[in-house]
Amino acid sequence: KAGVTQTPRYLIKTRGQQVTLSCSPISGHRSVSWYQQTPGQGLQFLFEYFSETQRNKGNFPGRFSGRQFSNSRSEMNVSTLELGDSALYLCASSLGGVPDTQYFGPGTRLTVL
Amino acid sequence: SQQGEEDPQALSIQEGENATMNCSYKTSINNLQWYRQNSGRGLVHLILIRSNEREKHSGRLRVTLDTSKKSSSLLITASRAADTASYFCASRFNTDKLIFGTGTRLQVFP
């Protein structure tokens, strides 16, 4: 099976712009989670989608949003970018049961100038 | 906020030595997982231990869980240079969000 893929791998934006990141989960996985990783804050949970519904949400401002499509692919959007949004954004997919193992993609490195 | 605090933050050892990392968490869990991350890349799942288990092995990895102390440890035996990475614990209760610890950076010198 193909692993989790994320596009694009690298992105440079300027403050005030918006960005959309994409994640394709492993075939058959119904849960997709997003994480932000920075040197200062570590791995922070953004949100989790399961069968197109947001199941969990982290403590991020409303500028961060996401969605999941019927084929389980997911996108996350960040509007009005700030310098502090520079980070590695990781997507993980799983079957969605309890317990479940998360399978991570390589991440999208976002730099905001 | 992060559920897990890991100790130590960084660890340097020689090849062949054992490496032990500890994780403490705050709330009730169903299971606790350990992940490895090579520099700037995605995380790789290592092992999962359920709340009713006390110890679990996988190859050179040994994980313990003490739910009364809300803590877990990961032991890597006979470390290799390829084990150089960051290691994270992650815990979850039912279908609540999976929360990662702060991580331990392990450096194994040849």
Side-chain angles (χ1 to χ4, degrees):
Chain A
K1 279 185 180 178
V4 178
T5 58
Q6 291 187 245
T7 56
R9 292 292 312 279
Y10 301 91
L11 205 49
I12 299 175
K13 292 285 188 178
T14 56
R15 280 185 301 174
Q17 287 187 311
Q18 76 164 16
V19 66
T20 299
L21 310 182
S22 181
C23 172
S24 293
I26 291 172
S27 178
H29 285 190
R30 297 167 65 187
S31 171
V32 173
S33 298
W34 288 89
Y35 298 85
Q36 180 197 64
Q37 187 176 30
T38 59
Q41 298 297 316
L43 270 162
Q44 300 285 326
F45 172 81
L46 281 157
F47 23 68
E48 178 189 10
Y49 288 88
F50 180 79
S51 294
E52 301 180 67
T53 301
Q54 188 178 81
R55 186 158 72 173
N56 288 296
K57 189 177 188 304
N59 297 323
F60 278 81
R63 300 185 297 106
F64 291 81
S65 63
R67 59 179 176 169
Q68 186 180 32
F69 302 96
S70 58
N71 61 358
S72 292
R73 192 177 68 84
S74 177
E75 288 182 347
M76 68 162 280
N77 184 76
V78 187
S79 62
T80 320
L81 283 166
E82 300 177 359
L83 296 179
D85 296 333
S86 294
L88 180 66
Y89 289 88
L90 293 163
C91 163
S93 75
S94 71
L95 292 171
V98 178
D100 64 337
T101 296
Q102 304 279 306
Y103 294 85
F104 281 81
T108 293
R109 173 75 62 184
L110 172 65
T111 302
V112 182
L113 301 175
Chain B
S1 64
Q2 286 169 306
Q3 159 103 290
E5 295 289 333
E6 293 183 62
D7 168 54
Q9 288 189 328
L11 181 60
S12 294
I13 59 175
Q14 297 287 328
E15 262 189 331
E17 294 180 338
N18 296 341
T20 300
M21 293 157 252
N22 302 296
C23 164
S24 60
Y25 57 92
K26 298 174 185 174
T27 63
S28 297
I29 60 170
N30 288 119
N31 63 80
L32 187 138
Q33 305 175 44
W34 286 88
Y35 288 81
R36 182 188 74 223
Q37 183 181 33
N38 290 90
S39 182
R41 299 184 183 179
L43 282 75
V44 175
H45 179 260
L46 295 176
I47 195 166
L48 180 151
I49 186 166
R50 299 170 190 254
S51 59
N52 62 354
E53 297 175 310
R54 291 295 168 261
E55 186 171 312
K56 199 162 183 179
H57 296 253
S58 176
R60 293 183 297 111
L61 307 179
R62 181 175 78 99
V63 168
T64 63
L65 179 65
D66 187 335
T67 53
S68 66
K69 295 181 179 178
K70 290 187 167 60
S71 68
S72 174
S73 68
L74 170 67
L75 167 68
I76 304 174
T77 59
S79 295
R80 305 166 182 168
D83 294 328
T84 294
S86 291
Y87 292 82
F88 296 88
C89 65
S91 55
R92 186 165 183 154
F93 181 72
N94 288 335
T95 56
D96 285 349
K97 53 193 177 186
L98 184 66
I99 302 298
F100 284 82
T102 50
T104 293
R105 292 188 310 278
L106 173 65
Q107 176 79 51
V108 181
F109 292 98

